[in-house]
Amino acid sequence: MSQQSVDNDHAYVSELLPWRINGRLTAEENSRVDAHLLICPDCRSQLAFFSAVDLQARAETSGWRPSPRHFSALMAQIDGAEAKSSAPAGMPAAPELGAVKSRLAGFFGSLAGLRWVAGAEALAIALLAAVLLHSKAPPSSVQVFETLSDASKPASNASEAEIRLLLEDQVTVKDLSALLREIHAQIRQGPSELGFFTVVVDKSFAGQALARLRDREGVKLAQPIESR
Amino acid sequence: MNAREHVREIELIRQIANKNRKAFEVFYYLFAGRVAAYLTKMLAQHDRVEEAVNDVMLTVWQSAERFDAERGKVSTWLFGIAHNKGLKLLERIGRRRETELFDGAGLTVDEDGDGDEDSAAPLAAARSNPERELIGRQLGEALSWALSQLSLEHRCVIELCFKNDCSYQEIAEIMGCPENTVKTRMFHARKRLAELLQQKGYEPV
């Protein structure tokens, strides 16, 4: 083998060494790399280096793990995006609803207006709300929440119901805090990129909570989230 | 990945394109962790990772029908989305570090290959001799630090190659650059790592 050939092989092989380690070279590339490694201490040294990098890269973790809670939040985001995109032709998309509402304040102040905003989802919401409204009495064991978000709150369980909530831009943290206290709710997630909150209430109180939310000014959308 | 897994992933994407939420949930648990790990390295921070992962998965849900199985693997398509989302997020939060800041700057490591097999002695020793576990731990810490100091492009090629077992062709597709650029970035990443390790007292490679 000529010196030029060896040099060419060195340049070629040294570029491929990382992929020799992760096993993603072709059989032909592997053969050429392995043959060169036998005669080239520099490439063997580089191989050892990349091997250490490989071990370290694999050992490092992001600290973030997917979970049912994360997936639920994602689905809420997707539902929000789809609600926005499925609004009837000529209707404003969800993020622009605030502006429309201010122009048509009288109409939008009514529950009918909110349903118009929700477009095709309104019927489903009304039906679900009607079912939930069968349980009228507020629960005696409803937790009193002191803060807007409480990290110690346990994960969702069968006695809880989640509500997707979208608010007007002008709603303040103080308003939101008062609203959540009134309906005995707590923020579980949000605001999402599209401005949605996921709030949790006692399941037996969900119907009343939904009704109260929908009657309040500043609430663009209040919609039950189906439990998975 | 074997052929059966490849077919299964393509089938998952087909079902997601048909808005099958169960299939999407399966896909999410198969890939969200890996996407998060990649985006964590890319963004060099943790607090925007969930947002970025959701953004990627939202795109998968919305554009699964555009996946072309003849063009490559599902994971290549997915990491291409993740890479682009990561770049956009970095631009948005103003934390993107320029590769040029590092490329060719002060790279003084001897690259001539003098035949000294001991040049990677700390690395080799750490892996082969149990009595030198302490050295191994110290090297691991130094390497971890060095990896975190790499530029965005260098971090991406390292992460895609070693953590995600991507071929250089796949990395080129994910990062939207020629294959030779991938190799060049890997070359410079190694040089930069060697320089950083040298600062920590390890011999240059």
Side-chain angles (χ1 to χ4, degrees):
Chain A
M1 188 180 284
S2 69
Q3 186 58 41
Q4 187 178 0
S5 171
V6 171
D7 290 345
N8 287 344
D9 242 25
H10 179 76
Y12 172 81
V13 167
S14 64
E15 284 187 335
L16 296 181
L17 291 173
W19 293 278
R20 178 67 184 93
I21 287 171
N22 81 357
R24 294 304 310 276
L25 295 179
T26 64
E28 185 186 347
E29 287 170 329
N30 273 333
S31 299
R32 198 164 156 189
V33 168
D34 289 355
H36 179 76
L37 281 169
L38 292 175
I39 60 167
C40 181
D42 182 50
C43 280
R44 289 201 298 277
S45 173
Q46 287 187 40
L47 189 73
F49 182 81
F50 279 125
S51 176
V53 171
D54 175 60
L55 289 175
Q56 189 60 38
R58 288 179 197 282
E60 292 187 354
T61 59
S62 69
W64 186 92
R65 292 281 179 276
S67 69
R69 184 179 68 79
H70 289 131
F71 184 71
S72 292
L74 170 64
M75 292 315 295
Q77 189 179 342
I78 286 172
D79 288 343
E82 291 187 343
K84 174 184 161 190
S85 64
S86 65
M91 301 277 281
E96 287 81 44
L97 291 180
V100 177
K101 191 164 185 175
S102 61
R103 287 199 300 272
L104 302 171
F107 173 63
F108 277 95
S110 68
L111 183 59
L114 286 173
R115 284 180 179 164
W116 182 82
V117 169
E121 287 194 328
L123 180 58
I125 293 170
L127 287 171
L128 285 166
V131 171
L132 291 168
L133 277 167
H134 282 297
S135 306
K136 294 196 174 182
S140 58
S141 60
V142 170
Q143 192 173 345
V144 177
F145 298 105
E146 299 294 333
T147 59
L148 283 177
S149 62
D150 179 358
S152 65
K153 186 78 176 70
S156 177
N157 60 50
S159 67
E160 294 176 343
E162 289 181 329
I163 295 173
R164 187 169 301 126
L165 187 60
L166 188 62
L167 302 168
E168 296 282 13
D169 291 343
Q170 70 267 22
V171 173
T172 65
V173 173
K174 190 177 173 185
D175 295 336
L176 176 59
S177 177
L179 181 60
L180 293 177
R181 272 201 304 274
E182 183 186 325
I183 61 167
H184 309 291
Q186 185 186 26
I187 294 175
R188 170 156 292 161
Q189 189 81 29
S192 70
E193 202 164 305
L194 297 173
F196 285 87
F197 287 93
T198 300
V199 301
V200 60
V201 298
D202 190 288
K203 203 165 196 170
S204 62
F205 189 56
Q208 288 191 40
L210 270 173
R212 286 189 195 181
L213 285 170
R214 289 170 181 164
D215 280 341
R216 289 292 290 264
E217 281 192 14
V219 175
K220 282 183 182 177
L221 182 71
Q223 172 186 20
I225 300 174
E226 289 181 34
S227 57
R228 292 185 312 110
Chain B
M1 185 175 66
N2 61 37
R4 184 181 292 180
E5 284 174 338
H6 184 54
V7 169
R8 192 168 66 92
E9 288 176 359
I10 290 171
E11 175 61 16
L12 269 180
I13 289 291
R14 190 191 64 76
Q15 290 173 337
I16 292 168
N18 289 328
K19 302 303 177 195
N20 181 326
R21 291 185 175 224
K22 288 291 177 195
F24 184 57
E25 189 172 1
V26 171
F27 183 88
Y28 178 82
Y29 286 117
L30 281 176
F31 289 105
R34 283 171 59 192
V35 169
Y38 180 64
L39 287 167
T40 302
K41 288 294 175 192
M42 196 174 173
L43 302 174
Q45 58 174 294
H46 294 270
D47 54 352
R48 305 296 291 268
V49 168
E50 182 176 347
E51 173 190 347
V53 171
N54 280 5
D55 207 9
V56 171
M57 291 296 175
L58 179 61
T59 301
V60 168
W61 176 259
Q62 291 174 333
S63 56
E65 75 278 1
R66 282 187 238 151
F67 171 71
D68 182 357
E70 298 198 353
R71 286 193 58 194
K73 290 172 19 180
V74 170
S75 58
T76 306
W77 175 71
L78 175 66
F79 277 94
I81 294 171
H83 187 78
N84 287 329
K85 295 289 183 187
L87 289 178
K88 284 179 184 167
L89 187 55
L90 280 170
E91 283 172 4
R92 215 158 61 224
I93 61 182
R95 286 194 47 140
R96 182 173 184 183
R97 290 182 288 176
E98 295 298 328
T99 309
E100 292 74 18
L101 191 64
F102 296 99
D103 280 350
L107 297 175
T108 56
V109 179
D110 179 15
E111 288 286 316
D112 62 7
D114 59 7
D116 180 4
E117 291 191 56
D118 291 329
S119 62
L123 303 164
R127 298 181 65 227
S128 62
N129 191 341
E131 294 176 1
R132 299 189 182 181
E133 283 185 1
L134 178 60
I135 295 175
R137 278 202 298 277
Q138 289 171 341
L139 172 65
E141 288 169 9
L143 203 42
S144 178
W145 167 79
L147 286 166
S148 73
Q149 301 302 304
L150 291 178
S151 68
L152 171 63
E153 283 79 5
H154 294 170
R155 287 200 306 275
C156 288
V157 291
I158 293 278
E159 192 71 9
L160 289 169
C161 175
F162 295 116
K163 194 108 179 218
N164 293 288
D165 292 331
C166 292
S167 66
Y168 56 83
Q169 297 92 336
E170 288 166 351
I171 296 173
E173 191 175 336
I174 288 167
M175 297 184 75
C177 63
E179 292 173 11
N180 279 339
T181 302
V182 172
K183 293 174 183 173
T184 303
R185 284 176 180 169
M186 184 64 88
F187 171 79
H188 285 300
R190 181 181 65 78
K191 287 182 76 172
R192 180 63 184 156
L193 284 171
E195 184 192 43
L196 289 163
L197 287 173
Q198 198 174 15
Q199 290 175 18
K200 294 284 182 183
Y202 289 92
E203 292 295 315
V205 177

